[in-house]
Amino acid sequence: MATRDKRYVGVDVGGTNIECGVVAEDGRVVGRVRRSTGVREGTEAVIERIAGMVEEAAAKAAGGIAGIDAVGVGIPGLVDPAGGISRLAVNLGWRDVPLAAKLRERLGVPVFIENDVKTYVFGEAVSGAGAGYRHVFGITIGTGLAGAFVTDGAIFGGGDHLAGELGHIPHERIPYTCNCGMAGCLETLVSATGIARQAADAVRQGAAGALADKFRERPEAITAKDVSEAGAGGDETALAILEHTGRLLGEALAYVVPVLSPDIVVVGGGAAQAGEALLGPMERELRSRLLQAFADRLVVRPGALGSDAGIVGNALYAKSKA
């Protein structure tokens, strides 16, 4: 009797949207579903939506849920992966939600959950930019800033699985109060939100250029994408913001690299799409602050999985646990 190919579902849960897909053994995403998260509908409604999306994706790509071997779900915030519990997900309004158990009961297949940044880095380490390296440190620059360390194919969680909160490193030159309540957290500047904040401040203070002209009357409407696009067009204000952001990130990574000694640093997240304007200053600042022994062996690359990173990372995480 012929054995069937194994199939794993990856689910990436965000505060705005949920991405779900079936991943074949060769790494291809063979079925996708995308829905709004619907946080205001309540926790149970969101969990039911996730379950329904898994079933829909499975029907498209694996002949139904019986063709699925395991499901991996990445969620923001603090996660207890051993207990399958979302301890705190501020953007979802979740606290101590037994997500894995609820989905297992609903779907009848193994379900594993993890912090979404950790599964992103896991995916890049296994089949993306970090493939072939033993020790991979990755970061995502999105609404916030976070990192994760994957060593010899395993996620390093640290005490209470809290490791990786790079965005909450305090910096004496950062004047803003973070949503966490602490002053000067790195992610108040080094994030999509932080980039937009810097641009809005610059416009209010009389900055010149196309970006400022476009948003002079409504600086609060600026997004990180606007800054990135303006930088690509040569706008000096945007380029200065991206350089400053990159240098701050490089400075922070210069504390991480000597402690962990990764083989490679992988950079992802929406704000990383600014490309060289952000990542160039980051890498130069990082290397300028490292002992030569670390600088000589370190590789720095953008993530390689693109828009499929969340799906693939979570599916591969499920595969590693099943």
Side-chain angles (χ1 to χ4, degrees):
M1 181 178 177
T3 59
R4 66 170 177 81
D5 290 340
K6 294 192 174 183
R7 296 284 190 269
Y8 301 91
V9 175
V11 185
D12 188 25
V13 182
T16 303
N17 294 302
I18 302 170
E19 303 275 355
C20 175
V22 178
V23 177
E25 284 193 277
D26 62 6
R28 290 178 301 121
V29 180
V30 293
R32 310 166 191 269
V33 183
R34 186 175 193 266
R35 299 278 186 275
S36 62
T37 307
V39 171
R40 293 183 180 180
E41 297 173 34
T43 300
E44 294 302 323
V46 174
I47 293 172
E48 178 58 31
R49 180 167 292 111
I50 293 170
M53 290 174 67
V54 171
E55 289 174 329
E56 184 178 346
K60 288 182 176 181
I65 197 69
I68 298 300
D69 292 271
V71 176
V73 185
I75 52 178
L78 307 183
V79 178
D80 171 8
I85 297 168
S86 170
R87 292 174 55 195
L88 179 64
V90 175
N91 289 341
L92 300 175
W94 289 4
R95 183 183 291 273
D96 295 329
V97 175
L99 180 63
K102 285 178 175 289
L103 288 174
R104 274 198 303 268
E105 182 179 1
R106 171 67 169 73
L107 295 169
V109 297
V111 177
F112 305 93
I113 72 168
E114 189 35 295
N115 169 269
D116 56 354
V117 175
K118 289 183 171 70
T119 56
Y120 165 80
V121 177
F122 184 82
E124 289 287 354
V126 172
S127 68
Y133 294 92
R134 289 182 60 195
H135 310 296
V136 181
F137 186 77
I139 60 173
T140 60
I141 315 169
T143 303
L145 173 68
F149 188 44
V150 175
T151 181
D152 288 330
I155 296 170
F156 174 73
D160 274 348
H161 214 70
L162 297 175
E165 292 299 329
L166 189 69
H168 296 291
I169 294 175
H171 196 297
E172 63 183 10
R173 298 198 308 273
I174 296 178
Y176 301 103
T177 298
C178 181
N179 288 336
C180 75
M182 295 200 329
C185 285
L186 188 64
E187 71 174 37
T188 62
L189 288 186
V190 184
S191 62
T193 308
I195 290 169
R197 169 186 279 130
Q198 292 178 70
D201 284 353
V203 171
R204 293 186 186 104
Q205 292 164 14
L211 182 69
D213 290 343
K214 181 177 180 181
F215 290 97
R216 186 74 65 191
E217 301 303 319
R218 47 191 185 97
E220 70 284 351
I222 299 174
T223 67
K225 183 178 180 182
D226 294 322
V227 179
S228 177
E229 291 175 349
D235 185 280
E236 292 186 4
T237 297
L239 288 171
I241 290 167
L242 294 171
E243 179 174 359
H244 180 59
T245 303
R247 291 181 64 183
L248 282 172
L249 180 55
E251 182 180 339
L253 289 171
Y255 292 99
V256 174
V257 169
V259 173
L260 298 178
S261 190
D263 301 317
I264 182 171
V265 172
V266 178
V267 185
Q273 294 177 8
E276 177 63 21
L278 176 71
L279 303 185
M282 179 205 77
E283 184 171 357
R284 289 190 291 273
E285 186 71 22
L286 168 59
R287 292 189 180 280
S288 75
R289 292 172 175 267
L290 292 177
L291 282 173
Q292 204 62 44
F294 292 109
D296 285 347
R297 67 183 304 280
L298 183 67
V299 176
V300 179
R301 288 182 184 161
L305 296 178
S307 60
D308 286 336
I311 290 173
V312 172
N314 286 297
L316 292 175
Y317 175 71
K319 179 180 179 181
S320 76
K321 294 294 182 180

